[in-house]
């Protein structure tokens, strides 16, 4: 596998390994790739970029009105390619298939490995940020195949206020704080540094699947009659109890608390050897819950207790199957 260029190196090299394209919003936790509609467009990007390329995203189309025409995020892309479905959540894939404007577009993916969103109150206009690369006449080309940024434009990333966010298929990011790009990417007068104090990412290693259940009045929480349905959070972690504590710390004191419902440990199973195996199980759970329950955004779902139990069995089965194939 080719070595991934560090973000600061992508920004500071001549010419920069920094690109511009447009999305209908910015949700890398569900849409973890850069998409192309033709093989020649994807091959052109691979040929002209290097692994670790930064891709600046500005919002167009049916993106929320407060995002339109503004820089909303940054992806760091590998050169790993596959069909789009492999690089997006089951919920996002279903939404894409059912959208006539998107169902046959952007199916050729290049995997993103890291992502940062721009602070909502500090998103620059694309006309200001990419004053050399962008023009309305080039907008279609930029959206379909990307456009390299100049050195001056690339360095503007150092002035943006950014927050690292999770990317579908990668180790989740948690407790990330907003910071200037120059701090996040390790740029200072003494040169690049390798540490990054502004985000927390679980290290690679053994992982457990988990399901958290939200305790409390679900009808009050959902704003409608919940019947016997419950609300769950799907995930993977080296320590599911710690993740449960993290989510509870994010809640104000009140009537709702997260509880660890399932994990490898509670099921009497060992952790899976790595995140790649656990991700397969996590995706299996999400796919079933999205199809037969209700997706509430992110990794949260409304479903019956029986469906949640079934999802857990599917997730463990899929992860074990992937582990057997990988051994």
């Amino acid at each position: 596998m080719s070595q991934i260029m560090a973000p600061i190196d992508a920004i500071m090299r001549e010419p920069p390994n920094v690109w511009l394209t447009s999305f209908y919003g910015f949700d890398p936790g569900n849409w973890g790739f850069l998409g192309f509609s033709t093989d020649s467009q994807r091959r052109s990007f691979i040929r002209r970029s290097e692994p670790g390329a930064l891709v600046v995203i500005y919002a167009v189309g049916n993106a929320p009105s407060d995002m339109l025409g503004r820089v909303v995020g940054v992806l760091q892309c590998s050169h790993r390619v596959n069909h789009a479905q492999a690089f997006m959540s089951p919920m996002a894939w279903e939404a894409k298939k059912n959208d006539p404007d998107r169902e046959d577009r952007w199916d050729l993916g290049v995997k993103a490995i890291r992502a940062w969103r721009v602070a909502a109150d500090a998103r620059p206009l694309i006309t200001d940020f990419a004053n050399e690369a962008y023009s309305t006449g080039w907008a279609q080309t930029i959206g379909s195949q990307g456009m390299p940024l100049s050195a001056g434009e690339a360095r503007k990333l150092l002035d943006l206020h950014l927050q690292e966010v999770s990317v579908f298929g990668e180790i989740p990011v948690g407790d990330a704080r907003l910071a200037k790009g120059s701090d996040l990417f390790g740029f200072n007068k003494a040169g690049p540094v390798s540490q990054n104090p502004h985000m927390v990412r679980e290290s690679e290693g053994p992982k457990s699947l988990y399901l958290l259940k939200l305790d409390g009045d679900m009808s009050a929480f959902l704003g409608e009659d919940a019947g016997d349905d419950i609300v769950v959070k799907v995930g993977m972690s080296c320590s599911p109890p710690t993740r449960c504590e993290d989510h509870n710390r994010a809640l104000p004191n009140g009537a709702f608390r997260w509880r660890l419902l399932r994990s490898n440990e509670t099921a009497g199973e060992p952790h899976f050897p790595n995140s790649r195996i656990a991700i397969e199980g996590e995706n299996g759970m999400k796919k079933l819950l999205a199809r037969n329950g209700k997706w509430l955004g992110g990794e949260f779902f409304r479903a019956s207790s029986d469906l949640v139990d079934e999802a857990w069995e599917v997730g463990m089965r899929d992860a074990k199957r992937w582990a057997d194939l990988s051994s």
Side-chain angles (χ1 to χ4, degrees):
M1 181 180 292
S2 301
Q3 184 173 356
I4 299 295
M5 183 178 295
I8 190 61
D9 294 333
I11 293 168
M12 300 305 295
R13 61 159 282 176
E14 291 288 352
N17 190 25
V18 182
W19 292 70
L20 176 69
T21 194
S22 58
F23 279 14
Y24 288 6
F26 189 68
D27 184 18
N30 286 297
W31 189 287
F33 67 101
L34 185 63
F36 299 89
S37 295
T38 70
D39 185 56
S40 62
Q41 291 171 347
R42 183 169 65 177
R43 283 190 285 106
S44 175
F45 175 78
I46 295 293
R47 184 178 68 252
R48 299 165 64 198
S49 67
E50 295 184 45
L54 298 180
V55 182
V56 177
I57 308 299
Y58 72 97
V60 297
N62 60 7
S65 59
D66 62 339
M67 290 184 173
L68 287 173
R70 294 183 179 273
V71 176
V72 293
V74 182
L75 297 178
Q76 184 182 33
C77 291
S78 65
H79 275 183
R80 180 182 164 201
V81 300
N82 206 331
H83 190 274
Q85 187 176 5
F87 296 151
M88 61 198 307
S89 73
M91 300 78 70
W93 174 247
E94 287 299 316
K96 181 180 181 300
K97 284 199 308 179
N98 294 322
D99 184 347
D101 190 40
R102 298 187 298 161
E103 61 177 337
D104 296 322
R105 303 171 69 186
W106 315 312
D107 280 340
L108 305 178
V110 176
K111 185 71 176 69
I113 53 176
R114 294 181 73 183
W116 299 264
R117 63 183 170 202
V118 181
D121 58 351
R123 297 168 180 149
L125 290 168
I126 187 58
T127 50
D128 294 334
F129 183 88
N131 55 298
E132 298 175 61
Y134 175 81
S135 72
T136 54
W138 283 104
Q140 185 173 353
T141 299
I142 291 170
S144 63
Q145 53 194 301
M147 180 78 70
L149 293 183
S150 69
E153 292 169 326
R155 284 161 177 73
K156 291 180 184 179
L157 286 172
L158 302 175
D159 295 322
L160 293 182
H161 284 82
L162 303 169
Q163 180 184 40
E164 184 155 13
V165 294
S166 296
V167 175
F168 176 80
E170 304 298 320
I171 297 175
V173 171
D175 194 27
R177 299 189 298 276
L178 278 169
K180 285 188 68 174
S182 56
D183 295 327
L184 284 172
F185 299 142
F187 178 81
N188 57 32
K189 292 182 179 179
V193 295
S194 59
Q195 288 77 23
N196 184 348
H198 296 282
M199 52 78 69
V200 176
R201 181 193 299 267
E202 278 196 7
S203 59
E204 182 55 89
K207 301 292 181 187
S208 168
L209 297 178
Y210 70 80
L211 283 166
L212 304 183
K213 176 182 180 292
L214 187 63
D215 286 335
D217 185 338
M218 290 301 97
S219 294
F221 179 79
L222 295 168
E224 61 184 25
D225 183 13
D228 294 327
D229 286 354
I230 62 176
V231 172
V232 294
K233 158 76 168 65
V234 175
M236 65 166 185
S237 176
C238 62
S239 176
T242 300
R243 294 301 293 143
C244 186
E245 291 176 4
D246 289 343
H247 281 280
N248 279 326
R249 277 197 294 269
L251 291 175
N253 291 329
F256 299 101
R257 301 293 289 174
W258 289 104
R259 172 166 56 88
L260 182 60
L261 184 66
R262 298 277 191 277
S263 70
N264 286 41
E265 185 176 4
T266 65
E269 298 279 358
H271 280 37
F272 297 111
N274 55 57
S275 61
R276 179 64 262 171
I277 292 171
I279 285 171
E280 291 300 316
E282 181 181 354
N283 288 343
M285 289 193 286
K286 289 178 178 177
K287 188 178 298 184
L288 182 65
L289 290 168
R291 184 171 63 245
N292 297 331
K294 182 178 181 181
W295 180 44
L296 300 178
E299 297 175 327
F300 302 93
F301 298 86
R302 170 183 173 175
S304 68
S305 295
D306 287 344
L307 179 59
V308 170
D309 289 342
E310 182 183 354
W312 176 257
E313 295 300 322
V314 167
M316 292 297 287
R317 181 201 67 197
D318 289 355
K320 289 178 180 179
R321 181 180 298 163
W322 190 264
D324 290 341
L325 292 173
S326 302
S327 61

